[in-house]
Amino acid sequence: MESEPGPSTHAAKAGGEPPDIEAMRSAADHALGPDDGPEALPPSAAELETLDSTLRGHLELLIPEVARAAGPRACSVQTYCALACVGVARGQLDRTPASTFEARVAHARNLARSLGALCDHYERIYGAAS
């Protein structure tokens, strides 16, 4: 029985570098704060723009990686959950938040949660250490 390839093996097959999961988690953690609670201090308006762009960029890189790794059909609970998470993340990318600062912060935090979940799925699929 052949074992699953590691992230570096997968990237070699895909012709690129593996995603920088550590940087992605760092961006998500920055958006969510230490406790991911509603009382967490929001970023400044300028910081929010950068954070939103960063989270979107990470999601655009990681969504196809997780979708490709999970395969076209769910054959286990793990792959079903990964594909569901991909769908949620795509939906988050397609949403345009209301123009209020609070709505934009909430949307950035939703992007961050999706990114964190995709990082978890990527690591589970490839067996990387969390």
Side-chain angles (χ1 to χ4, degrees), residues 9-96:
T9 304
H10 169 67
K13 287 181 181 178
E17 293 294 317
D20 187 347
I21 298 297
E22 187 175 322
M24 291 179 180
R25 284 194 186 280
S26 177
D29 290 346
H30 182 70
L32 295 172
D35 298 322
D36 186 19
E39 69 282 348
L41 294 175
S44 69
E47 186 181 24
L48 180 59
E49 292 300 319
T50 302
L51 189 57
D52 184 76
S53 294
T54 300
L55 292 168
R56 286 178 177 280
H58 286 323
L59 283 168
E60 288 169 358
L61 290 172
L62 196 54
I63 286 170
E65 289 288 329
V66 172
R68 188 173 22 256
R73 292 184 302 133
C75 57
S76 69
V77 171
Q78 178 178 326
T79 57
Y80 176 83
C81 290
L83 291 172
C85 188
V86 163
V88 169
R90 285 181 176 146
Q92 290 293 339
L93 283 178
D94 289 343
R95 282 190 187 88
T96 302

